Amino acid sequence: QRSLRHRLAREEHAASVREAEDYCGCLVVGAAPAEHAARIAHREALRRLRERPERVSARAAAALCIALALAAHAHAGELTRRAATEREKGRLDAAEALARQSINALKTGDRVELAEALAELGVILAVKGDAPRAQVALAKAEALARQVRGDEDLAVAAIQNRRAAAATLRGDHVAATASLRKVLAVREKKLPPGHPDLGSTVFDLAESLEQQLLHDEAAPHYQRALQLATAAFPAGHPARMLIQRRAALNATRRGKAREAAALLAPIVRAPPGPTQAERARWSDTALAFAEAQEQAGEWKEAAQTYRDLLAVQEQAFGAESELLADTLTALARSLKNAGDAPAADAVQKRLERLEQ
C-alpha cells in the first residue's frame, strides 16, 4: 500500500477505486460473490500487465492491489465458513485454528468480516467450555460490528445470535434471552415476514424461555415459530416436526393436553420413515401423543396409538422382544380405563409371558 501511494503521488494519478475496477474489468465487484470478483480482477489485471508492460501505470497497479485484496478477503471468509463447518462436525481444535487464521488475515481488512470471524471463534471457544475467552471474543466482535454498522444491522444481529448461542452453552439462559430479543427486533425490521432466519430466531427465543420454566411466555413464540415453519416447509419436514414436538411439550407442561395432542397428531398419523433414526423419532412422538391423549381422558384413542406404536416396535425388534414391555403396559392401562377389560387382560397375559 505504501508503494502504491508513492507511485500515485509520483505519477500524479488520481485514480479512484471505481476507475481501477473499470480498468481491470472488475465491474462485477459488489454484484457477485467476492471469490468470483477476485478471480476476474486478478486474471484480467495480470493479462493486461503482461500484454503491455511498458504501460504499467498506477491505475494498473491499483487494479492488481484491489484484486489481491479481494482474493485475501475471500480466502479469509472461506476460512471462517470452514471453521463453522468443523465446529458443527465436532472438530473443535481444527475449527479454532481456522478461525484464528481468518482473524489474522483480516486484521487490516474488512472490519465486519473480522467481527464475524471473531464471533465464530467465540462460539467455538464456548463449545470447548472456555467461557471467559468466548465472552471476550464475542464482546469484541459485537463492538467492532456496531462501530461499522450501528445497532440495527443484520450483521450485528448475526453476532448477537452467536452470543445467545454461547450463553445457552454455558447455561446462562437469561443472557441468551436478552440477546435473542435484540436479534428478533432487528430481524423483524430488516427481513421479509417469511425469512428462515426470522423463524429460527423466534424458535430459539421460545426454547430459551422454556429452559427458564417460563412456559406461558414461551407458548406464543412456539406458536409463531410453527406458523412460520408451516409456511416455509412441507408437512413431514424435520424442522417443522421438531417445532411441533417442542410446542407440544410446552403445551403439556402448561396442562393443555388436548392442544399437545392436536400438535402431534399430524406427525403420528403419517407413516414412519424407512430409516432407523426416522422410526425412532416417530416412536418417541407417538409415545408423547398417546400420553397426551391419556391426560386428556381420551383412553380409547390412546389405546389405538399404543397399538400403532407396538406394531412399529414389533417390526423393528421382533414380537418377543423385552423392549415391548413398556408399550404393552401402557396399552393394558389404556384399554382398562377405556372399559375394555377383556382386551386389557389379553395384553396383560402377553406381558407376563414376555417377562418370564
Side-chain angles (χ1 to χ4, degrees):
Q1 289 175 340
R2 283 195 298 271
S3 174
L4 177 58
R5 283 199 296 272
H6 291 322
R7 190 160 196 164
L8 284 168
R10 189 167 59 250
E11 296 186 16
E12 296 182 350
H13 256 291
S16 66
V17 172
R18 177 54 63 187
E19 287 173 330
E21 291 170 356
D22 291 345
Y23 184 80
C24 70
C26 193
L27 285 170
V28 293
V29 172
E35 296 90 339
H36 180 58
R39 284 195 295 272
I40 293 173
H42 196 187
R43 185 172 61 247
E44 183 66 11
L46 287 174
R47 182 184 68 79
R48 293 192 182 213
L49 290 173
R50 281 197 302 269
E51 289 178 357
R52 304 291 296 274
E54 73 281 1
R55 295 192 62 189
V56 177
S57 66
R59 198 158 57 152
L64 186 55
C65 282
I66 290 168
L68 292 173
L70 281 167
H73 288 167
H75 176 62
E78 178 60 26
L79 287 173
T80 303
R81 289 189 288 274
R82 283 172 58 195
T85 301
E86 292 296 303
R87 170 174 56 80
E88 290 166 359
K89 292 179 179 178
R91 297 197 281 261
L92 300 180
D93 290 337
E96 182 179 351
L98 287 166
R100 292 190 183 281
Q101 287 179 41
S102 180
I103 290 166
N104 289 332
L106 288 164
K107 279 182 177 176
T108 58
D110 186 285
R111 286 187 292 171
V112 174
E113 289 184 7
L114 175 58
E116 291 174 355
L118 279 167
E120 179 57 36
L121 175 63
V123 175
I124 292 165
L125 292 171
V127 175
K128 294 178 78 171
D130 192 346
R133 288 202 299 159
Q135 288 179 272
V136 170
L138 288 162
K140 285 182 178 179
E142 185 173 345
L144 192 58
R146 285 179 184 277
Q147 288 174 8
V148 181
R149 298 288 183 86
D151 292 340
E152 294 187 354
D153 184 82
L154 289 173
V156 176
I159 293 169
Q160 289 171 332
N161 201 51
R162 284 190 171 98
R163 292 196 76 170
T168 299
L169 286 169
R170 66 176 184 268
D172 190 349
H173 299 293
V174 174
T177 299
S179 293
L180 287 167
R181 290 191 191 281
K182 294 176 184 177
V183 175
L184 184 58
V186 173
R187 287 180 171 173
E188 283 178 327
K189 290 181 180 178
K190 301 287 186 178
L191 295 176
H195 196 281
D197 285 351
L198 186 59
S200 66
T201 306
V202 174
F203 178 67
D204 289 344
L205 179 56
E207 290 282 273
S208 187
L209 292 166
E210 188 76 359
Q211 289 295 325
Q212 298 171 67
L213 306 182
L214 301 173
H215 307 308
D216 290 333
E217 192 173 347
H221 296 293
Y222 278 122
Q223 292 164 6
R224 185 182 176 193
L226 183 56
Q227 289 172 354
L228 291 167
T230 301
F233 304 114
H237 190 280
R240 183 170 163 178
M241 289 194 293
L242 171 63
I243 297 171
Q244 285 174 284
R245 285 193 289 267
R246 297 298 297 171
L249 180 59
N250 170 265
T252 300
R253 288 169 173 169
R254 290 184 290 114
K256 306 287 185 181
R258 282 190 169 82
E259 181 181 330
L263 286 163
L264 296 173
I267 302 176
V268 177
R269 286 170 183 158
T275 68
Q276 183 177 351
E278 288 173 322
R279 287 196 299 270
R281 282 195 297 270
W282 184 92
S283 297
D284 290 343
T285 307
L287 178 60
F289 181 46
E291 289 173 348
Q293 288 173 315
E294 286 184 311
Q295 290 177 24
E298 299 171 353
W299 298 103
K300 185 177 180 181
E301 292 79 1
Q304 183 57 53
T305 302
Y306 282 124
R307 283 194 179 101
D308 295 339
L309 175 59
L310 187 62
V312 171
Q313 291 177 332
E314 285 175 337
Q315 186 178 7
F317 307 121
E320 302 302 320
S321 172
E322 293 179 357
L323 297 173
L324 308 181
D326 288 345
T327 305
L328 287 168
T329 300
L331 175 58
R333 181 183 64 240
S334 293
L335 289 168
K336 183 177 180 180
N337 285 309
D340 193 347
D345 291 341
V347 172
Q348 188 62 40
K349 288 178 182 178
R350 180 183 173 184
L351 180 61
E352 289 170 0
R353 289 196 303 271
L354 195 66
E355 291 175 343
Q356 288 177 352

